[in-house]
Amino acid sequence: MGQLNTGNIGERLKTMVFLAAPLLFLYLVFFVELDENNPAITYTLAVALLMALWWITEIVPLAVTSLLPFVLFPILGVMNGKAVASNYFNDIIFLFLGGFLFALAMQKWNLHKRIALKLLLTVGNSPSRIMLGFMLATSFLSMWISNTATTMLMVPILMSVILKFEELNPGKGVGSFSTGLLLATAYSASIGGISTLVGTPPNLSFARIFAIYFPEAPEISFASWFFYAFPMVVILLIITFGYLYLVFIKKKSDDWTHIDTRDIELEYSALGPWVREQVIVAVFFGLLAVLWFSRADIDFGFVMVKGWSNIFENPKFLNDGTVAIAIAVILFLIPSKNSKSKFVMDWKTAEGIPWDIILLFGGGFALASGFKESGLSQWFGEQLIWLKGVHPFVIILSVSLLITFLTELTSNVATVETFLPVLAGLAMSIEVNPLLFMLPATISASLAFMLPSATAPNAIIFGTKRLKVLDMSRSGLALNFIGIIIVTLVTYYLATLIFHISVSDFPSWAND
């Protein structure tokens, strides 16, 4: 989550919450008894609230807070230390590692910049086409590399275009164009990441937590996730483009002089011809994507497409993390002709792996395991049993609304990892397919468009000092509600087809 200076009042409030969290933890542990036959339920809730409040304040680094389950669960008798430790490194972590190694390889050889500039050159030079180009380039890159890295890449290109546009249109009120372009880039970075499991951390958190709770459930593969999420991305990008165009460009675009794309062409030319290393990374990147999509069986309803993993004796032994690491390792073995590096990928570059995010994943997975092992998820479900008579569509809408606006204030990963266990318990309690609640919660965590502090892309764009909080809040509020509606509709009508969900039947794999 990006940082925003909220002033002394905001910092004092954070400090108060930070200091109150341990007191609340101790009060729950020593003076509260949610279930007299199972004190682990209360202890787990105490740990969860302590972590949630510290995650919100971020006075202690998120990664450090994520280590608390490894210390507190064994001490309180919730889980064995060995069992807790196993949550900090698993197949989803390896999927993240493999995907990030490829992202680092793309950045090392400037392949990501080549892709972005080429897309911008392809779409044209009018204000609307420039906005579309930035949205397409940003969303595509954020499908594969972090939205933070994507936004950081796009900002220098973005600013050069804005400055050129202002130079060509002095005194013509082009501030609205720069505002629209900045917002379009930030929002596209968040939207694009929804598409793939590796696109944004909440997606990976969902995949692991779902597997922890429902080990007998059908696997959430790279392909199945993509078929569910990508239609949402397309719809959101179209609506976002249309909305920002109408608000920031349409009224004045007839009076503006279009940008000559020669500046972008010069920047692209400065990259020089394709080098051997760029070709290798591009080829293996394409291979990785193909292997991810085609590994597991894909059931289209009318036809079943068998995955390549079936050629092995134990196809279930292979997962997307295995594929990611296998292809990433190859990059470390291919010699480079460039004098700066002996191989296409090296460990110095790999040191850029965000280990803090990995610890954040692990802490969330450990917390989810604690929810399950202690019985806290079931306890939450029992408290919410009154929702059994409510139509699932209404609950999906409510979940999307809650998570979308909550993640405006908190880390999206922390939000997902705190709420998914609760939603799993709710689904089991009222006997509804857990995917109906867990999927929209995960997607909604990436749809925070209102505040600079909500996401790293928002914070980076706001850091250009060419944007007012009011502009972001107005546009973001409208897009938040649009996103909530789209997530609800796509989950209820499309996800039920892709994941073979029956709204009226409770799946056998979801039973304890």
Side-chain angles (χ1 to χ4, degrees), residues 10-29:
E11 291 305 316
R12 283 201 296 268
L13 180 60
K14 282 186 176 182
T15 303
M16 289 173 60
V17 172
F18 170 74
L19 295 175
L23 298 178
L24 177 61
F25 167 80
L26 293 173
Y27 172 74
L28 289 171
V29 169

Side-chain angles (χ1 to χ4, degrees), residues 23-86:
L23 298 178
L24 177 61
F25 167 80
L26 293 173
Y27 172 74
L28 289 171
V29 169
F30 291 107
F31 300 107
V32 176
E33 197 173 65
L34 298 178
D35 186 337
E36 61 181 12
N37 298 318
N38 187 3
I41 290 178
T42 306
Y43 299 157
T44 305
L45 178 62
V47 174
L49 289 175
L50 175 62
M51 292 177 67
L53 292 174
W54 278 10
W55 270 335
I56 290 171
T57 62
E58 293 191 67
I59 291 177
V60 172
L62 294 176
V64 175
T65 300
S66 300
L67 293 171
L68 290 178
F70 184 64
V71 178
L72 296 177
F73 280 171
I75 290 175
L76 296 170
V78 175
M79 289 179 67
N80 183 292
K82 290 183 179 180
V84 178
S86 66

Side-chain angles (χ1 to χ4, degrees), residues 34 47 95 101 135 220 248 299 336 359 371 447 450 454 475:
L34 298 178
V47 174
L95 175 57
L101 285 172
M135 292 185 70
I220 304 297
F248 295 104
D299 187 357
S336 169
L359 285 176
F371 266 71
L447 300 182
M450 284 181 61
S475 301

